[in-house]
Amino acid sequence: MKSSRKASASTRSPRYVAYQCLIGWAKGGIFAETLIARYAVELPSHDRALVQAIVLGTLRNMRWLEHICHTLRPAYLESNAKWLILSGLCQLFVLKQAEHAAVAETVSVAPAKWRGLVNGILRNAVRRRSEFEAELPHLSLGVRYSAPDWLVERWVNEFGAGEAEQMLAWNVQTPPVYVRLNPLHPIDIPTEWEPLPQASGWYKLPSGIPFDALKAGQVYVADPSTRYCIELLAPQKGERILDACAAPGGKSAAMIATTAGDIHLLATDSAPHRLEQLKENLLRAGGQDVQVLCHDWTTPCPASMKAAFDAVLLDVPCSNSGVLQRRVDARWRMQPAEFSRLARLQSDILEQACMAVRPGGRLVYSTCSIDSQEDRQVVDAFLLRHPEFSLSHDYLALPHREKADGAYAALLLRSV
């Protein structure tokens, strides 16, 4: 009975839950955040936070932790044992937890057959800690900053070695929580919220999401980089506006806030199951004339939408190369061929959505990618096919410069 109670307690440990999340992630097909939400749902909030820190910290620093693991144990390791060891190394080297607690608690959730192995490797890591930390600056960029070598090479070629390294360094940091205030629903701003000097109405939070303020429509959780496409579009009161790839609705909500709700907004998305939540989010934000509709913009523009809008916001699906700090899965799921595939998809969507812009109207093409193949190259190819549109200006937000997510936005004007 005693051992049964001990086993039961270990399976409720946040370190055990984190280990199960990592095993599930390694099987493929499920995002890390989804696994954390699924496995940690019944844990107290402080334990959920530890699960998230271990899982995301391990994936964000995976190549460096694998390097340490392989140095300590060059021989073959079963996959599940490796993930448990990597989670322990994350606690030691990334989260900087107390050595005894990190080692002992990780060993306690290991199956009996691996306990000696896990204990030996982690204790050896503690003994050689200064050696591993001293060699870190001398490792290859891909290992040092845990990114695929092909992506490192791509960034070095596009941005130069210095810029590439700064972006890679930015991406292994833990992202903060940002909120945008909604002037339609004022809030007493907590003193611990830090205003962003470069982004009026935006705040950096010291801890988790303010759910009460979020439910009341007083704030929207988003990254400050999302403001660029809204600033370029410059929605005006009374305008008819289309947000073509809208869910979950953050950019539509920003347009509502900018115009005090005085716009005629149609928000479309290709996934029917997202529409109810999308409309709820926009009504909570203060939208007065809001419609939602399911439409896939790789298919022809509906006749009822042709030349019907003063402004169109087109935030297309992309590689997420600008948000690798926040979306830890993306760097491991991306493949070089994806950029060409996505550029074709983006071009197809732009080809149809542009038809919704009235003569004299405007369209903003937006991505959360920093890769030119998905950004300026898509825009330039579009302009060659559509002389009725012209590029007013565009903006590339590089994450290490912005101290926020990376993004791209281009303002296209349709002639009268």
Side-chain angles (χ1 to χ4, degrees), residues 15-86:
R15 291 172 174 84
Y16 179 82
V17 174
Y19 167 47
Q20 293 301 306
C21 289
L22 289 168
I23 292 173
W25 183 87
K27 294 177 181 177
I30 305 179
F31 291 114
E33 294 278 10
T34 302
L35 289 163
I36 294 167
R38 178 181 303 172
Y39 286 119
V41 63
E42 296 182 357
L43 294 179
S45 59
H46 62 280
D47 283 348
R48 286 200 302 273
L50 179 55
V51 171
Q52 178 164 305
I54 293 173
V55 173
L56 301 186
T58 300
L59 297 178
R60 197 175 277 122
N61 297 273
M62 187 167 69
R63 286 194 70 187
W64 180 43
L65 299 177
E66 286 180 331
H67 166 76
I68 296 172
C69 182
H70 182 73
T71 302
L72 296 169
R73 170 78 177 195
Y76 170 78
L77 276 172
E78 290 185 45
S79 176
N80 288 2
K82 184 195 78 169
W83 283 109
L84 183 58
I85 292 165
L86 293 182

Side-chain angles (χ1 to χ4, degrees), residues 187-195 203-206:
I187 183 176
D188 291 328
I189 301 168
T191 56
E192 64 270 21
W193 288 15
E194 178 185 342
Y203 287 80
K204 178 181 176 182
L205 274 54

Side-chain angles (χ1 to χ4, degrees), residues 24 46 52 78 135 147 174 183 209 221 226 393 399 416:
H46 62 280
Q52 178 164 305
E78 290 185 45
E135 75 164 355
T174 301
I209 295 172
V221 177
T226 59
H393 50 283
V416 178

Side-chain angles (χ1 to χ4, degrees), residues 213-232:
L214 185 63
K215 291 178 182 177
Q218 295 171 309
V219 301
Y220 198 94
V221 177
D223 189 89
S225 65
T226 59
R227 74 188 190 276
Y228 293 116
C229 61
I230 306 301
E231 291 174 357
L232 284 183

Side-chain angles (χ1 to χ4, degrees), residues 388-407:
E388 74 274 21
F389 280 90
S390 61
L391 174 64
S392 173
H393 50 283
D394 64 351
Y395 185 73
L396 175 64
L398 295 179
H400 66 288
R401 294 182 185 173
E402 302 288 329
K403 305 305 179 187
D405 287 346

Side-chain angles (χ1 to χ4, degrees), residues 60-123:
R60 197 175 277 122
N61 297 273
M62 187 167 69
R63 286 194 70 187
W64 180 43
L65 299 177
E66 286 180 331
H67 166 76
I68 296 172
C69 182
H70 182 73
T71 302
L72 296 169
R73 170 78 177 195
Y76 170 78
L77 276 172
E78 290 185 45
S79 176
N80 288 2
K82 184 195 78 169
W83 283 109
L84 183 58
I85 292 165
L86 293 182
S87 74
L89 293 174
C90 173
Q91 294 167 61
L92 291 170
F93 288 89
V94 179
L95 304 182
K96 309 292 187 182
Q97 294 182 345
E99 293 173 352
H100 173 75
V103 174
E105 292 297 321
T106 302
V107 171
S108 73
V109 302
K113 64 178 180 177
W114 293 337
R115 284 180 189 162
L117 173 69
V118 173
N119 183 66
I121 291 176
L122 293 183
R123 291 195 182 282

